Amino acid sequence: MDLLFLGTGAGMPSRERNVSAIALRLHEERSSFWLFDCGEGTQHQVLRSPLRLSKLEYIFITHLHGDHLYGLPGLLSSRSNQGGETPVTIFGPKGLKDYLKISLEVSETYLRYDWKVVELGETGGTVIDDGQFEVTAKPLDHRIACFGYRVHEYDRPGTLLIDKLKAAGVPPGPVYGRLKAGETVTLEDGRTLNGAEFVGPPEKGRVVAILGDTRPCPEAVELASGADVLVHEATFDAELAELAKQFHHSTSRQAAEIARKAGAKQLVLTHISSRYQESGAEVLLEQARELLPGTTVAEDGAVVPVRRRP
């Protein structure tokens, strides 16, 4: 599992940063990827990446400002033209369904795959729970309805201790699968084996929190609680805190404060204003690292692994 940043700018594209879009790549977990926001030009960024649109499974829109949304009709159309056939579900605030329906109807765009929009209620809630992942949405503090998303991977069973089974004289076969499932099995020679004794400890599930535009708020802390990776906007530096408040955004230092309160293990800053061109984003990084030394600032094309932790 890793995060691929397709767009890390705020408001409008710049020479260095496209507008918001992040792919959560689930290589080993389910051979697909999920997309968080889809600003204008996202499909161009996908073409420069290893992503294949046919592998796109879910899209999560944080809010309906153009820099998070305008690339969506084109991306869906390109997915169809490139042979994508599996269903796509799109989550987001109220109004998203009308936006897409009108855009596709007026442009007479036909999608060869099934698609649906799930509009979130004001309080958000659980949007996916399939036994492998749970995705929760909560409202944030922005000028319009805006959500953050928490992706929680459930713990996975431990690995089967094959060397221990071989040492016990248990030949490979269907019995291995039953023991891995934790069953108690009686062998042909009369021995009874407890599956729990031949399986390693469970692999702890990972948590990724991806927040939309927001001022600091309790919901941001809740979504990021204990996260392995928190992706938080940092539109302004700390000297512009009043401007950030006025426009319902956060500073880099405020993002670090949220991460620290939440106990997040890694903070990645994104949604960087075009005022911080070239090396200008260093000030954002320095301010956040005063509170959270391991903070990074995302760049377009950056890959951030989401590692399993003990």
Side-chain angles (χ1 to χ4, degrees):
M1 180 193 297
D2 61 36
L3 292 165
L4 171 57
F5 286 82
L6 299 168
T8 58
M12 60 183 181
S14 67
R15 290 190 300 272
E16 296 176 346
R17 300 178 184 274
N18 200 49
V19 285
S20 294
I22 305 168
L24 176 62
R25 299 193 294 184
L26 305 169
H27 307 277
E28 300 174 358
E29 295 78 12
R30 53 208 291 162
S31 298
S32 68
F33 77 93
W34 300 353
L35 186 64
F36 291 80
D37 283 334
C38 189
E40 181 182 359
T42 295
Q43 64 174 312
H44 294 278
Q45 299 291 78
V46 169
L47 289 173
R48 301 183 182 100
S49 79
L51 298 172
R52 293 170 54 196
L53 286 178
S54 61
K55 297 292 186 180
L56 177 59
E57 185 178 9
Y58 294 120
I59 302 174
F60 303 87
I61 300 298
T62 61
H63 63 295
L64 303 187
H65 278 155
D67 58 323
H68 296 254
L69 180 69
Y70 284 166
L72 188 52
L75 180 134
L76 294 175
S77 176
S78 290
R79 184 179 190 271
S80 183
N81 293 333
Q82 292 171 17
E85 295 180 345
T86 54
V88 172
T89 302
I90 308 153
F91 301 91
K94 182 176 175 57
L96 178 59
K97 187 180 297 184
D98 285 345
Y99 171 77
L100 268 182
K101 182 173 181 290
I102 293 170
S103 297
L104 297 176
E105 284 184 356
V106 169
S107 61
E108 298 188 6
T109 300
Y110 169 73
L111 303 183
R112 66 174 66 233
Y113 52 87
D114 292 333
W115 62 280
K116 67 176 180 178
V117 174
V118 177
E119 294 187 338
L120 308 179
E122 291 183 2
T123 59
T126 300
V127 297
I128 294 174
D129 190 346
D130 60 10
Q132 185 179 15
F133 289 96
E134 178 187 40
V135 181
T136 306
K138 286 183 179 292
L140 301 173
D141 183 359
H142 195 44
R143 285 197 299 114
I144 63 174
C146 183
F147 293 90
Y149 295 96
R150 176 185 176 90
V151 180
H152 170 223
E153 177 190 33
Y154 285 110
D155 294 351
R156 298 197 304 186
T159 56
L160 187 66
L161 304 177
I162 294 176
D163 290 344
K164 186 175 180 180
L165 285 168
K166 289 181 178 178
V170 182
V175 66
Y176 275 29
R178 294 177 62 191
L179 289 168
K180 182 174 174 58
E183 294 182 24
T184 297
V185 177
T186 301
L187 304 178
E188 291 183 1
D189 60 12
R191 288 183 295 161
T192 299
L193 302 181
N194 181 356
E197 297 176 0
F198 294 90
V199 177
E203 294 182 346
K204 186 172 177 57
R206 293 157 288 184
V207 174
V208 178
I210 300 175
L211 307 190
D213 295 1
T214 187
R215 294 191 291 201
C217 62
E219 290 80 6
V221 178
E222 293 170 14
L223 287 166
S225 178
D228 294 287
V229 178
L230 165 61
V231 180
H232 198 295
E233 68 126 297
T235 311
F236 298 101
D237 67 76
E239 302 303 316
L240 297 176
E242 283 303 315
L243 193 62
K245 182 178 180 180
Q246 177 184 345
F247 287 98
H248 293 253
H249 285 291
S250 295
T251 68
S252 56
R253 184 170 294 162
Q254 288 169 338
E257 289 171 349
I258 292 292
R260 190 169 66 172
K261 287 179 182 177
K265 299 172 182 67
Q266 182 178 359
L267 171 64
V268 183
L269 303 177
T270 189
H271 202 264
I272 310 302
S273 169
S274 59
R275 72 182 65 216
Y276 305 105
Q277 293 286 342
E278 299 177 353
S279 60
E282 285 297 318
V283 66
L284 303 174
L285 188 60
E286 291 170 3
Q287 291 173 354
R289 284 182 171 176
E290 290 174 2
L291 298 178
L292 218 61
T295 300
T296 58
V297 174
E299 306 288 343
D300 285 19
V303 175
V304 176
V306 186
R307 296 185 174 89
R308 295 190 184 278
R309 303 177 189 270

